[in-house]
Amino acid sequence: MKERMSTPAVEVSNLTKVFSLGLRKEYVVAVDNLSFRVEAGEVYGLIGPNGSGKSTTMKVVLGLMAASKGSAKVFGLDSGDIRARNEIGFLPENPYFYKHLTGAETLRFYGKLCGMRGAALAKRTAELLKLVDLEGAANRRLGGYSKGMLQRIGLAQALVQHPRLVILDEPTAGVDPIGSRQIRDLILRLRDEGYTVFLCSHLLEQVQEVCDRVGILFRGRMRREGTLDELIAIEGQTTLTLEGASPALLERLRATVAEEGAEVLAEGHPRTSLEQLFIQIAERGGEENQPS
Amino acid sequence: MKRLFQRLPRTVPVLALLAAFGLARGPIEEGLRARLVAANLLVPPPAQSAFEQMRQSVLMATLGGLRPLAATYLSLEAFDHFSTKSWDDLRRSYEIVTSLEPRDETHWVAVVWHLGINATANMEIDGRLPAFERERRFKEYAFQAIDFAERGIAQLPESAAIRLQLVEVYREKLKDDCAASRVYGDTIGLPGAPGFVRRFHGYYMARCPGREKEAYAYLTALYREGKSQRKPTLIKEIQDLEKKLGIPVPQRIPEADPDRPRPNQAPRRSSNVLPGGIVVP
Amino acid sequence: MRPVPLFSPGRVATIASGTVTQLIRMKTFYFLLAFALVVVAAGNFNLPATPAQELSMIKKVSFGTMDLFAWLFAIVATALLIPRDQEDRTLYTILSKPVRRVEYLLGKLGGVLVVVGVSLVAMYAICATMIGVRESLFVAAEVEAMQADGRYSEEDIAGQVGLIRQQGLRPELAIAVLAFFLKAAVVAAVTIFLSTFASSSLFTIIVSILVFLVGHAHTMASSFWLHESGNSAFVRMLVKVVKILIPDFQLFAFSEGVVLGEAVVWPLVWQMGGLTLAYLAVFLLLSLLVFVDKEF
């Protein structure tokens, strides 16, 4: 289903954004001569510490902010063009939607803003509620939603008009590990369904799990960019993970390595991450509580 | 690099548009204001003297477009002054109230009633004051009531209610029958004027020294209009004038039915009748 | 690329209906209860006044309060909307959809005006009920008292009833409500303009109320200061500048004349409607000038 097209989903060229500090003639360069492309159908992650210019870049791509210099294009259109925004679904960091609306009303509201009406909108609303696993909370007001639920309804509203590009700003910020996992699964599902995903995060491990390509931004400048393999593989080193290996087998392997002139740099038991462990425990607990 | 952020400040076009709109609407709004004032829908700003007398809260409310509320508050306050017999405070409250709402007839009627009837009545019986002072203040309040009434009539030339209240002051307090007749005469034909004002114009004219002949002609003309005007008082007044003027018997009006009740004076306002002849249940 | 209409009344309507829902669910209509209390209190004044005076007072207090509530509500509701959307970042999600900024502003203004309009109709209904009930009670008592007295003809009684009816419920009073609506609409448009560059709701509310007060006072101020030779050139210039920049809210006080029972002059009502539209158009344009390039 992945669809590669010649027009990139996002094309940022020589983007510079300067903010003036009040009435004083002082300026801050938030983004400095930044260029990158997000190809259609890929998951692109822009990573960097807080204040590195990620959100500013995103806002320029969304047309919420004007570039001081350079340009940002979405599917070949200037980012300020309203047609470009019809192709974008955006989930801001820590989104606060209208608390007085229910989940279903929220989706209908954003759907109507995109020109959707009637049965098509009702069908899309039901689909999305199912997709983000909020069917049970569809008629509950957002004021009573947890952070993870808000993030998921936010993702659903981003997808309401079938955009080709989904922009996610810190999609898992402040969400517990299970909610975070759900969101990551959703991102992977979106990729499989052919959406282009452009996300910003400072949680490197999560980016690593979902992104095809990553750009590392620091102090407004692109420091490294490439596929994950390109960026994190260590040339000349290989990892071998065995299961059920006897001490004798391990001894023979060590001897062979030494004969070949190579060197064993590290040896031990692979560890699961604390996050993985937490999810396993939670899932096991869930299964035990299931009525038999 | 600096040229990147030297954009035209937005304040320039915003101020330009605001100023252009302000200059364009100025003459239009002045014209509209004049037409609204002419149609009595808009009240011109109160006189500066009224502003000087206002307390800060009332002034703020007035400037904030809450003129009717400020006026109502002050008229409620005036009722309070009435209950404590603070007549000078009451007059001051109504100076502001009538400045704020000069087109509200009820304010003018109320202040003429308070000063002309209530304050003067209080002066007649206030034992705390020496007789000379009471008499002086009696006249002062009566003339203040007349002054208010004249200002009210200038604002509302068609008002019968203000004139009827004024006539009470002339008639009941100052015993000025000539003035009472004049005011009744002015009231004839005004919208809302009761039918009796035509007869009363004549009755008080008859009591005005030097106008007896004129009154006789006027009252007999009314008499000739038919049964609706032939009230006992009218007949009595004509008969009194016939005697006073020595009208020959054949020219006199026929004697009325001797069994008919003949009140020997004009109906007086009973205690439950308020300004404008309005009855309080 | 999917086509997107240049301007969509549907999007404006969506934002407007969202605003109405928001204001309703914020329980803003509770202020109608406060209004009803004021009207009931006014309707039960016990004063040594004539029925006509008492009716006039009930009418003025109720309509004065209606006016106050309408413009105050227009300011507070409008000031709460845009800065709040910005603070909560809801604005990001709306403006990142295919929504033009002018549509957003129009939708917000439209929503506030719908709520103000509905509130005014509800307040008018409360008011009309109270005045109508008091009027019929006064008339019945008056007729009974005059008939019992025995000295009054049918003509006298009719005259007296007419005097009360004059201060009672008349259809023209609806024009006063229209005047309140027109004023509230201009106030809301000015508040939207202020909120496009304000940093918070509180700032917007305070500045809007200040503008409203100055907009009421500058006619009086100019009649005092511009026609007196004793004032300095600076003061006269200041008054002129204020008069140019700040709307003239005093003009909308034509409602006072209507409440007092003056005859409604329809061409003037239409002209006031036209002036209101001009104010709305210009202040929306001003808001757009600030808002269109605003960075979030």
Side-chain angles (χ1 to χ4, degrees):
Chain A
M1 181 104 182
K2 271 189 192 176
E3 182 192 347
R4 295 267 168 190
M5 290 189 294
S6 56
T7 312
V10 178
E11 185 174 19
V12 172
S13 312
N14 308 107
L15 174 69
T16 300
K17 181 67 193 174
V18 182
F19 292 109
S20 62
L21 298 177
L23 294 172
R24 290 171 297 167
K25 295 223 162 182
E26 288 176 26
Y27 303 97
V28 168
V29 181
V31 178
D32 189 1
N33 206 27
L34 178 70
S35 297
F36 68 92
R37 282 159 70 106
V38 179
E39 299 299 341
E42 74 173 344
V43 178
Y44 186 95
L46 200 56
I47 59 173
N50 293 332
S52 60
K54 304 185 300 289
S55 292
T56 303
T57 307
M58 248 180 197
K59 285 177 184 174
V60 173
V61 172
L62 284 161
L64 292 172
M65 233 176 226
S68 306
K69 201 181 103 182
S71 69
K73 290 190 186 311
V74 175
F75 294 110
L77 290 170
D78 190 85
S79 62
D81 194 313
I82 195 166
R83 287 172 300 166
R85 289 210 295 280
N86 205 22
E87 301 299 336
I88 302 175
F90 173 56
L91 171 69
E93 183 184 357
N94 296 328
Y96 288 94
F97 300 104
Y98 290 126
K99 284 182 197 144
H100 61 274
L101 294 181
T102 65
E105 282 171 342
T106 303
L107 296 186
R108 282 200 290 272
F109 174 73
Y110 286 98
K112 281 182 186 170
L113 288 183
C114 300
M116 301 170 79
R117 293 284 183 281
L121 179 58
K123 185 169 169 261
R124 184 67 180 150
T125 304
E127 259 171 37
L128 287 169
L129 285 167
K130 190 175 177 194
L131 177 77
V132 297
D133 197 18
L134 284 173
E135 285 166 300
N139 296 318
R140 213 192 300 164
R141 288 197 192 173
L142 299 198
Y145 273 28
S146 71
K147 209 153 189 180
M149 289 163 88
L150 275 177
Q151 209 76 6
R152 279 183 281 144
I153 201 74
L155 193 56
Q157 70 74 30
L159 299 172
V160 73
Q161 83 274 32
H162 296 281
R164 286 195 279 161
L165 168 68
V166 182
I167 298 183
L168 311 170
D169 191 4
E170 303 282 1
T172 56
V175 181
D176 66 38
I178 296 171
S180 181
R181 164 63 62 194
Q182 282 175 321
I183 289 166
R184 272 178 279 162
D185 290 346
L186 276 169
I187 294 170
L188 292 172
R189 199 167 154 184
L190 292 178
R191 181 180 60 182
D192 293 343
E193 289 181 9
Y195 286 95
T196 307
V197 180
F198 170 32
L199 65 89
C200 279
S201 183
H202 65 277
L203 302 172
L204 309 185
E205 194 188 349
Q206 292 173 6
V207 172
Q208 193 176 329
E209 278 187 40
V210 294
C211 292
D212 299 318
R213 283 198 312 131
V214 171
I216 300 173
L217 205 59
F218 189 69
R219 292 193 180 155
R221 285 194 185 171
M222 186 69 89
R223 305 291 165 157
R224 291 282 301 273
E225 197 191 15
T227 62
L228 270 171
D229 287 346
E230 285 166 5
L231 291 177
I232 61 174
I234 303 171
E235 289 291 324
Q237 291 188 10
T238 307
T239 309
L240 193 68
T241 308
L242 303 174
E243 195 172 276
S246 64
L249 174 62
L250 289 174
E251 200 48 51
R252 280 206 299 279
L253 279 172
R254 281 188 207 108
T256 311
V257 167
E259 276 169 25
E260 291 292 321
E263 192 184 352
V264 176
L265 292 178
E267 199 182 314
H269 294 287
R271 296 180 180 196
T272 181
S273 67
L274 197 56
E275 187 190 279
Q276 285 286 348
L277 182 66
F278 177 81
I279 290 166
Q280 279 168 18
I281 293 168
E283 280 173 357
R284 218 173 295 151
E287 279 164 21
E288 282 167 11
N289 286 337
Q290 290 283 325
S292 51
Chain B
M1 187 81 167
K2 214 174 172 183
R3 68 184 172 82
L4 295 176
F5 19 87
Q6 283 182 336
R7 286 189 298 154
L8 182 71
R10 277 188 291 259
T11 39
V12 174
V14 164
L15 282 176
L17 180 57
L18 254 182
F21 180 55
L23 289 170
R25 68 181 161 81
I28 297 170
E29 287 182 339
E30 284 313 312
L32 246 174
R33 184 188 318 283
R35 288 195 293 280
L36 285 167
V37 170
N40 295 324
L41 287 169
L42 202 62
V43 181
Q48 195 157 8
S49 56
F51 274 110
E52 282 161 7
Q53 291 176 34
M54 282 183 210
R55 287 186 306 274
Q56 212 170 5
S57 54
V58 175
L59 186 69
M60 279 306 290
T62 309
L63 293 179
L66 304 173
R67 184 141 62 166
L69 287 181
T72 309
Y73 167 74
L74 285 172
S75 40
L76 288 175
E77 196 181 60
F79 275 118
D80 194 43
H81 295 318
F82 163 55
S83 59
T84 56
K85 298 180 186 130
S86 314
W87 307 111
D88 293 318
D89 290 337
L90 181 139
R91 181 182 51 75
R92 272 192 288 274
S93 291
Y94 271 109
E95 284 287 359
I96 306 171
V97 170
T98 51
S99 285
L100 292 177
E101 292 190 324
R103 303 270 318 159
D104 190 337
E105 189 182 58
T106 58
H107 296 320
W108 297 109
V109 174
V111 67
V112 176
W113 177 56
H114 280 309
L115 290 175
I117 306 296
N118 299 324
T120 50
N122 184 227
M123 288 307 109
E124 285 170 321
I125 55 167
D126 192 345
R128 291 173 303 175
L129 293 170
F132 177 76
E133 182 63 20
R134 286 209 314 261
E135 208 171 305
R136 191 163 69 182
R137 288 198 192 179
F138 174 92
K139 280 188 184 152
E140 214 171 81
Y141 291 136
F143 286 116
Q144 281 172 4
I146 293 169
D147 178 49
F148 267 109
E150 282 169 356
R151 277 153 56 194
I153 290 167
Q155 288 288 342
L156 300 156
E158 299 280 279
S159 171
I162 302 175
R163 287 185 172 85
L164 289 175
Q165 194 54 60
L166 170 65
V167 90
E168 293 265 328
V169 181
Y170 281 129
R171 210 178 72 183
E172 306 293 329
K173 299 294 174 176
L174 297 174
K175 311 290 182 199
D176 184 345
D177 295 333
C178 299
S181 168
R182 176 175 51 77
V183 179
Y184 275 128
D186 292 346
T187 315
I188 298 169
L190 291 178
F196 66 79
V197 292
R198 292 180 67 209
R199 294 190 297 276
F200 276 43
H201 172 51
Y203 301 162
Y204 285 91
M205 198 195 295
R207 291 168 203 177
C208 179
R211 295 188 70 189
E212 293 84 355
K213 276 188 179 168
E214 191 188 344
Y216 178 70
Y218 178 82
L219 289 172
T220 47
L222 275 183
Y223 179 84
R224 282 193 290 272
E225 276 183 22
K227 275 189 176 171
S228 66
Q229 295 291 1
R230 290 177 190 174
K231 308 284 181 197
T233 314
L234 182 89
I235 294 165
K236 164 85 172 51
E237 290 290 343
I238 292 175
Q239 287 169 342
D240 286 352
L241 281 171
E242 282 167 344
K243 282 175 200 153
K244 202 170 179 183
L245 295 169
I247 304 293
V249 175
Q251 288 173 31
R252 292 185 183 185
I253 59 164
E255 271 292 330
D257 177 1
D259 296 333
R260 254 170 98 178
R262 285 177 156 200
N264 53 7
Q265 57 178 23
R268 288 202 166 262
R269 200 165 84 176
S270 57
S271 60
N272 67 333
V273 180
L274 292 181
I278 299 156
V279 178
V280 175
Chain C
M1 199 67 68
R2 289 174 285 181
V4 178
L6 263 179
F7 178 83
S8 159
R11 290 195 290 256
V12 175
T14 303
I15 292 173
S17 66
T19 307
V20 172
T21 314
Q22 184 178 8
L23 290 172
I24 291 172
R25 294 193 182 166
M26 279 163 82
K27 298 188 170 55
T28 43
F29 279 126
Y30 276 19
F31 82 91
L32 289 176
L33 285 178
F35 177 76
L37 279 178
V38 171
V39 173
V40 169
N44 288 290
F45 278 154
N46 196 12
L47 298 169
T50 65
Q53 278 175 319
E54 218 171 300
L55 269 180
S56 160
M57 203 170 284
I58 296 170
K59 213 166 53 172
K60 277 193 288 178
V61 170
S62 330
F63 277 76
T65 313
M66 204 189 290
D67 182 20
L68 172 72
F69 276 35
W71 67 256
L72 204 56
F73 181 81
I75 287 180
V76 176
T78 313
L80 279 178
L81 296 173
I82 299 180
R84 193 169 180 171
D85 273 8
Q86 201 175 325
E87 282 162 27
D88 291 354
R89 296 180 217 187
T90 321
L91 192 58
Y92 294 3
T93 52
I94 293 173
L95 293 183
S96 63
K97 293 287 180 204
V99 174
R100 289 189 190 279
R101 295 188 180 198
V102 65
E103 293 167 344
Y104 174 77
L105 289 179
L106 271 174
K108 286 285 169 192
L109 181 64
V112 170
L113 292 188
V114 167
V115 177
V116 170
V118 170
S119 310
L120 274 172
V121 169
M123 287 194 280
Y124 181 56
I126 296 170
C127 229
T129 309
M130 174 53 82
I131 295 171
V133 167
R134 295 292 289 172
E135 184 184 340
S136 51
L137 287 175
F138 279 137
V139 167
E142 198 84 323
V143 169
E144 197 188 319
M146 289 176 88
Q147 282 170 345
D149 189 282
R151 287 181 300 139
Y152 299 97
S153 66
E154 283 303 311
E155 186 196 359
D156 288 339
I157 295 175
Q160 191 58 32
V161 168
L163 210 65
I164 298 172
R165 294 259 188 248
Q166 208 180 349
Q167 293 301 331
L169 191 61
R170 289 172 301 108
E172 294 84 46
L173 286 175
I175 300 301
V177 181
L178 176 71
F180 300 151
F181 180 75
L182 296 181
K183 182 157 83 173
V186 176
V187 169
V190 172
T191 310
I192 283 227
F193 167 57
L194 291 171
S195 73
T196 52
F197 55 81
S199 50
S200 71
S201 298
L202 188 66
F203 173 83
T204 313
I205 291 171
I206 291 171
V207 176
S208 301
I209 290 178
L210 211 63
V211 166
F212 181 79
L213 294 180
V214 174
H216 257 290
H218 68 52
T219 314
M220 300 180 198
S222 57
S223 73
F224 292 154
W225 286 316
L226 291 184
H227 301 122
E228 277 191 25
S229 51
N231 288 305
S232 68
F234 175 73
V235 171
R236 292 151 74 94
M237 179 61 83
L238 192 72
V239 172
K240 278 184 181 163
V241 169
V242 167
K243 210 169 154 57
I244 287 171
L245 296 182
I246 294 183
D248 183 351
F249 290 113
Q250 185 64 44
L251 269 182
F252 294 89
F254 73 92
S255 55
E256 291 171 19
V258 179
V259 172
L260 280 183
E262 302 289 354
V264 174
V265 183
W266 286 102
L268 290 177
V269 176
W270 300 136
Q271 283 167 31
M272 285 306 295
L275 184 70
T276 306
L277 284 178
Y279 268 116
L280 293 188
V282 170
F283 275 90
L284 267 175
L285 195 61
L286 287 166
S287 311
L288 200 61
L289 267 175
V290 180
F291 197 61
V292 79
D293 289 333
K294 187 163 179 160
E295 301 191 328
F296 301 104

